Amino acid sequence: MGGSEQLPHGALKGVKVLDLSRILAGPTCTQLLGDLGATVIKVENPATGGDDTRQWGPPYVVDFAGKQSDLSAYFMSANRNKHSIAVDIASAEGQRTIRRLAAEADILIENFKPGGLAKYGLDYASLRDEFPGLIYCSISGYGQTGPNSHKPGYDIMAQGFGGFMSLTGEPDGEPMKAGVGIADVMCGMYACIGILSALHHREKTGEGQQIDLSLVDSQIAWLINEGVAHLNTGMNPRRRGNEHPSIVPYGTYETADGHVILAVGNDSQFRRFMEFLKLEGLAEDPRFSTNPARLDNRDALNAILRPAVQRHTTEAVLAAMEERKVPAGPVQDLPTLFKTEQVAARNMVVDMDTVAGPVKLLGNPLNFSRTPVTYRRPPPACGDSTDEILGATSPFDLT
């Protein structure tokens, strides 16, 4: 087999994941694991109709009979490559089912409130001695410890408590969350990294372990430069809208027919940008000739640049910046984005057939030369694999 030839499965083929999570952070993690080849069994509560996000619509997939299915766009965004089983973990039978599955699983992931699974005997402390190799990932709002550990966590609360909203929005506007549940998604990615690290440790030692991860902790971790700057200076950063705290000009600028993004990262790029605007003198002006000077005189510079950029169309600015090798880009809406050749070339839209009908999903951005991402199962209807899995001698031995 040639070194460049791809294998017909993902790198995690054979890894078994028992997914007790719902909403977004946990399901994001388990979808990633599933995309990479793991077998994922998603446990859903039959009394509530399954994962909360099944009801977070519209839109929903409408089935062949014209009826609304339980496949909302929100649910489908994080739940492909999974088998769904309907199990009531509050019942003795349900608890036995989970323990049977945990006995075969490599990974269990859950996002109940800390202590929430203890009353069912399904918390890590109750399972670790019986299943010493189990990797048990717990996601919660604030973590398993600390004075806030008992509080529930939703994405917007993590963005607010974790400082992100204080940095986001217009300078004189209200604090603003991101347009999608980015705290949940990033927490899911940290969970995936932690699980893969724990798998590597288990391969060497045979030891499982618990991973304690919170939405707020992961949110704080990706305050990155702003968080570190505050810790070392004591200064409280202010909201700058789309502008950058350390680079000018950087942000969105209005054009004659829309908006354009400019990210002028160094002084030579700034000179070339000024040549296009026929404002060459600004590149020699001591107020603007260096990036530190431009930072000190941000408002004065933008008062000149904004009307100058607005005299040109978006297409003209983008063409001129590409010619001059100055970073620039469009502000695209979703209809425009998904029609681009770049999206098609990178396979970022996936077609799948659900029980309710065909759907389009976002692709996985990982590209492997040997162990490609695979799209084996569409987002499931609630409990669609219950009989198949619970009736199997080895429940995870399913494709």
Side-chain angles (χ1 to χ4, degrees):
M1 180 179 290
S4 62
E5 185 176 348
Q6 288 190 325
L7 298 172
H9 56 75
L12 297 184
K13 180 177 173 60
V15 173
K16 303 169 183 178
V17 181
L18 179 57
D19 183 5
L20 303 186
S21 71
R22 66 272 190 215
I23 305 186
L24 189 53
T28 292
C29 173
T30 51
Q31 176 169 274
L32 283 170
L33 296 171
D35 285 357
L36 296 175
T39 298
V40 182
I41 295 178
K42 180 180 179 73
V43 177
E44 302 193 69
N45 185 350
T48 62
D51 192 310
D52 298 27
T53 63
R54 289 187 182 276
Q55 306 302 319
W56 288 9
Y60 301 92
V61 177
V62 176
D63 67 19
F64 298 104
K67 295 182 179 180
Q68 176 182 301
S69 73
D70 65 353
L71 298 177
S72 69
Y74 206 116
F75 175 83
M76 291 193 298
S77 72
N79 285 288
R80 67 168 166 250
N81 282 335
K82 302 177 186 181
H83 301 264
S84 171
I85 62 172
V87 175
D88 178 10
I89 66 171
S91 69
E93 181 182 0
Q95 292 155 27
R96 287 193 295 270
T97 296
I98 299 304
R99 296 180 77 89
R100 176 192 170 202
L101 295 171
E104 290 198 35
D106 299 295
I107 299 152
L108 186 154
I109 184 167
E110 56 90 8
N111 63 347
F112 287 75
K113 292 180 186 178
L117 288 176
K119 59 186 175 182
Y120 305 130
L122 299 175
D123 59 319
Y124 181 64
S126 299
L127 299 179
R128 64 185 172 191
D129 291 338
E130 185 176 355
F131 311 121
L134 182 65
I135 295 164
Y136 191 110
C137 182
S138 297
I139 295 175
S140 59
Y142 292 87
Q144 302 296 305
T145 59
N148 291 348
S149 61
H150 65 286
K151 294 183 178 181
Y154 279 83
D155 178 90
I156 191 172
M157 296 160 66
Q159 291 193 39
F161 188 97
F164 181 80
M165 288 176 65
S166 76
L167 304 173
T168 308
E170 292 299 324
D172 298 323
E174 64 178 301
M176 190 67 61
K177 72 176 184 65
V180 295
I182 193 66
D184 272 325
V185 171
M186 285 299 299
C187 188
M189 290 185 176
Y190 278 116
C192 193
I193 293 168
I195 286 168
L196 295 178
S197 299
L199 276 173
H200 182 66
H201 173 76
R202 194 187 70 175
E203 183 178 345
K204 294 188 296 181
T205 67
E207 293 178 333
Q209 60 184 299
Q210 184 178 29
I211 301 166
D212 170 10
L213 183 62
S214 84
L215 295 180
V216 168
D217 290 351
S218 61
Q219 171 66 85
I220 292 170
W222 60 274
L223 291 174
I224 51 172
N225 59 299
E226 293 283 33
V228 172
H230 166 72
L231 290 173
N232 287 279
T233 67
M235 296 179 64
N236 188 16
R238 67 183 184 89
R239 293 190 295 280
R240 295 191 179 278
N242 289 323
E243 294 191 354
H244 197 285
S246 305
I247 304 172
V248 177
Y250 183 109
T252 53
Y253 288 78
E254 189 173 356
T255 64
D257 58 354
H259 290 84
V260 66
I261 297 169
L262 293 164
V264 183
N266 58 50
D267 297 338
S268 62
Q269 291 176 0
F270 182 69
R271 287 193 293 273
R272 297 195 295 273
F273 181 36
M274 293 305 96
E275 289 171 2
F276 164 68
L277 295 178
K278 302 189 184 317
L279 296 171
E280 292 91 341
L282 293 186
E284 309 303 325
D285 188 320
R287 296 175 299 165
F288 311 128
S289 58
T290 67
N291 187 64
R294 292 193 291 276
L295 284 169
D296 289 339
N297 297 282
R298 179 195 301 266
D299 293 341
L301 178 58
N302 276 329
I304 300 170
L305 294 186
R306 292 195 181 281
V309 173
Q310 197 171 1
R311 289 194 288 268
H312 302 273
T313 65
T314 299
E315 183 178 359
V317 175
L318 292 175
M321 295 303 97
E322 183 168 357
E323 180 183 353
R324 290 166 174 79
K325 294 182 170 52
V326 176
V331 180
Q332 299 187 137
D333 60 17
L334 299 195
T336 304
L337 165 67
F338 287 114
K339 290 176 184 175
T340 62
E341 294 179 357
Q342 184 67 23
V343 166
R346 300 294 292 175
N347 300 312
M348 285 307 298
V349 175
V350 177
D351 293 300
M352 300 194 83
D353 291 319
T354 72
V355 293
V359 299
K360 293 182 180 294
L361 304 175
L362 300 177
N364 189 305
L366 292 167
N367 291 279
F368 295 84
S369 63
R370 288 282 286 152
T371 55
V373 164
T374 58
Y375 304 106
R376 306 176 307 283
R377 294 185 62 84
C382 182
D384 70 349
S385 297
T386 304
D387 293 341
E388 177 188 11
I389 288 174
L390 299 188
T393 303
S394 298
F396 281 97
D397 289 343
L398 301 167
T399 57

